[in-house]
Structure formats: structure tokens, C-alpha cells
Amino acid sequence: MKTVRELIREAENKLDDEHKDVNVAKVLFYHLAHKEPHELYLMMNEEVDEDLEKAFLAGMEQYYQGIPIQYIKGYETFFGRDFKVNENVLIPRYETEELVENILYRIDDYFQDYPHIQLCDVGTGSGAIAITLALEEPRLNVIATDISQDALVVAKENANLLNAKVEFRHGDLLQPLLDSHEKVDIFVSNPPYIPNDQQIEAMVKDNEPHVALFGGNDGLYFYRKIFKEVKPLLNERALLAFEMGFDQRELMEKAIHEFFGDYPFEIIKDMNGKDRMLFIYYHLK
Ligand code: GLN
């Protein structure tokens, strides 16, 4: 029988040999053993239960095969809450937490005296953005859409598990909202924005849904389509909030100018100093 220390050491050594992320061993162990990091120290010399060892080695094997740790665990933490994920949805990213945070600031700035605020999240995936916003700001009425039925299954399950009131609609981009003549105060989207032929990490490309990643030849296909069609969905005053690629500022400014003329907008950097969020102020300032 192995001790916890031996089991984790062996896994870390193998990860290191294969130039993979050594943290994964502990992350997987915490998950399977239902332990917090500080509890691990207390059990380092204990012998590992046989079932736990088996599950751990099976999980590590999946990781060596190239499966992201979040799909192996079955969830990712976003804004302090656990969201179920599987191969039908993009794994929520830290950068996207910053988008949510910046939307919340702008709700304080521009919608302070609104008793209710209508918001839509287009291409919701796991539902991370829509559900977090609904839970953080009770004045929001949130509608979330996706073209993928399989993604909506995951998003609905997350809304149920987290007790969030979000209305989900199936359909292509704005269509489900246009069909029901929706009007929103805040339009949010983190559309696929990676240019089709851009080289990306194998672990992302081989596992995460391409429908959530690739955005046409220059990555802006979905933004242009949204910019072109979104006006009938907007209330008189509205905020548009998007995540975007770090190298898309110039193309984005051109597209905004083409479809929104001189409306004020901001491109904000993420914590890595990369252009990541776009806000368009539609009759807001
Ligand atoms: N941020 C994701 C990545 O770089 C892409 C998400 C998206 O296209 N919206 O893997």
C-alpha cells in the first residue's frame, strides 16, 4: 500500500517528466478525496485507500491522454461557484470572471435606479456568465441562448444546482430573441473569437467544442453579425458587453465604427494586461 505522499510524488514526477502541469496531481487528489489543500498535509503519511488510488490513477491516465483536468473532475469554479462542465461546453476562463465583474460595476454606474434590468447572454455555454450575473444582481432578469442543445442541457443543470433564475432559449445567435421581440438593457456575449486557422493549444483544440472557439477567418464573424442585427433588441439606453481576443483591437474598432458610428466604447485589459473586454455605450453616456 502506498502513502498519500508516495502516490502524489510519483504522479508529480511523471507529470514533470512529460512536461505537463505538476499541480494537476494535487488538484485531482483534492477532488477525489474531498479534501481542502490544508487538509492534505495532515494525511500525507496515511495509506491510500485502494478505491481512491484506482480512481486517482484512472484520472491521471485521462490527463496524460490529453483530457483537460476540468472535464476529468466534471466542474470548474467560476466566481466562487462550481459549474458542471463536459465536452459540450467551453471551460469557463478566469478572464471571463473579469467580464462579469466589469458588467457588475457598470450596472452600479448606469442602472442604479432601475428596479428591474433586462439582460441577455448570447452563446451561454455552461451558463457561467448568465447564472453568475443572475445570482450576483437580483434586479436582473436574465435570458440566455445557445445554438447547442447539448450546451443548454449543461447550462440548465447549472442553473438548477445553483438555484439561479435564468430563462434559456435555443437558437442561432440573436434569432431566438428577435423571434420573441425581446428588449434588453444589457446585451452580453462571449462569442467564439479565435480565427479559424490560428494555432491553439492541443488540449483546447482536441477537447473543447469548436462551435464555442472559432469565429471565422479573422475571429470577428460573430461580432459583426451581432453588431449588424442587435439594435432591434436594445432598449433606448443599453450597455453591450463582450469578451474579445487579445489581438483584435484594431479590427474591432473598425467594426464598431462601421455599425455603431460614433457611439462611445471602451476596450479594457484583463489582469494579464491583454485587451479582453469591450463595452459599447448605447445612449448611456
Ligand atoms: N478564451 C478562449 C481561449 O482562448 C476562447 C473563448 C472564445 O473564443 N470565446 O481558449
Side-chain angles (χ1 to χ4, degrees):
M1 275 246 195
K2 274 185 190 136
T3 63
V4 172
R5 186 190 311 281
E6 286 163 348
L7 186 71
I8 291 178
R9 264 286 148 78
E10 278 173 25
E12 285 175 341
N13 288 342
K14 184 163 175 202
L15 287 165
D16 200 31
D17 290 346
E18 299 199 12
H19 308 290
K20 293 188 190 291
D21 181 2
V22 291
N23 295 310
V24 163
K26 280 186 184 150
V27 169
L28 181 64
F29 190 86
Y30 299 143
H31 165 66
L32 293 172
H34 307 289
K35 296 287 176 200
E36 297 289 326
H38 69 271
E39 295 173 290
L40 188 63
Y41 289 100
L42 303 174
M43 59 185 295
M44 276 295 189
N45 296 323
E46 286 175 22
E47 290 194 332
V48 188
D49 172 273
E50 202 176 317
D51 290 343
L52 180 56
E53 178 174 348
K54 251 196 213 149
F56 178 79
L57 294 175
M60 288 306 298
E61 189 49 38
Q62 279 185 288
Y63 186 73
Y64 295 130
Q65 300 299 324
I67 311 290
I69 184 66
Q70 295 88 344
Y71 290 157
I72 299 170
K73 287 167 60 179
Y75 66 85
E76 171 66 317
T77 306
F78 184 85
F79 227 86
R81 301 181 182 91
D82 289 342
F83 284 79
K84 256 195 74 140
V85 293
N86 62 27
E87 65 288 346
N88 296 317
V89 299
L90 192 85
I91 298 164
R93 307 289 205 264
Y94 300 122
E95 293 90 328
T96 309
E97 294 184 327
E98 292 190 67
L99 174 67
V100 168
E101 188 186 341
N102 275 286
I103 292 168
L104 292 170
Y105 293 145
R106 282 161 183 75
I107 291 176
D108 290 343
D109 289 344
Y110 297 103
F111 300 97
Q112 209 170 23
D113 47 5
Y114 281 49
H116 301 287
I117 305 164
Q118 304 297 326
L119 179 147
C120 66
D121 172 28
V122 168
T124 198
S126 66
I129 298 175
I131 291 168
T132 304
L133 285 169
L135 291 172
E136 294 293 326
E137 175 50 77
R139 287 179 298 154
L140 288 173
N141 296 326
V142 180
I143 304 180
T145 71
D146 210 287
I147 194 168
S148 160
Q149 293 274 24
D150 293 334
L152 285 176
V153 170
V154 177
K156 284 178 189 168
E157 198 175 341
N158 280 322
N160 284 337
L161 288 169
L162 294 166
N163 234 331
K165 207 172 141 272
V166 174
E167 198 184 317
F168 292 99
R169 307 258 179 92
H170 173 244
D172 188 7
L173 219 60
L174 308 186
Q175 206 52 51
L177 303 168
L178 291 168
D179 286 348
S180 53
H181 307 285
E182 255 14 278
K183 288 277 186 193
V184 299
D185 305 300
I186 306 181
F187 178 96
V188 185
S189 185
N190 174 14
Y193 56 66
I194 299 174
N196 286 350
D197 59 1
Q198 188 167 302
Q199 296 297 323
I200 56 170
E201 244 183 282
M203 193 166 305
V204 175
K205 187 167 185 177
D206 297 344
N207 291 284
E208 299 194 64
H210 287 191
V211 66
L213 288 170
F214 294 106
N217 291 335
D218 65 0
L220 262 69
Y221 173 80
F222 294 103
Y223 300 84
R224 292 197 188 91
K225 199 158 153 53
I226 290 171
F227 293 169
K228 187 166 172 213
E229 297 174 3
V230 75
K231 283 187 192 138
L233 292 177
L234 303 177
N235 270 331
E236 195 143 317
R237 303 170 76 239
L239 173 70
L240 295 99
F242 300 89
E243 186 171 307
M244 62 181 267
F246 69 96
D247 53 359
Q248 292 172 339
R249 177 185 280 266
E250 266 175 47
L251 285 171
M252 192 65 89
E253 288 179 348
K254 230 176 111 200
I256 295 165
H257 199 74
E258 181 182 345
F259 293 102
F260 284 94
D262 290 330
Y263 283 98
F265 70 91
E266 265 184 300
I267 291 174
I268 312 258
K269 293 189 191 312
D270 63 22
M271 61 189 151
N272 295 314
K274 295 186 169 167
D275 289 334
R276 185 65 64 196
M277 292 153 268
L278 163 68
F279 295 94
I280 303 175
Y281 300 92
Y282 188 75
H283 304 143
L284 275 188
K285 54 169 165 187

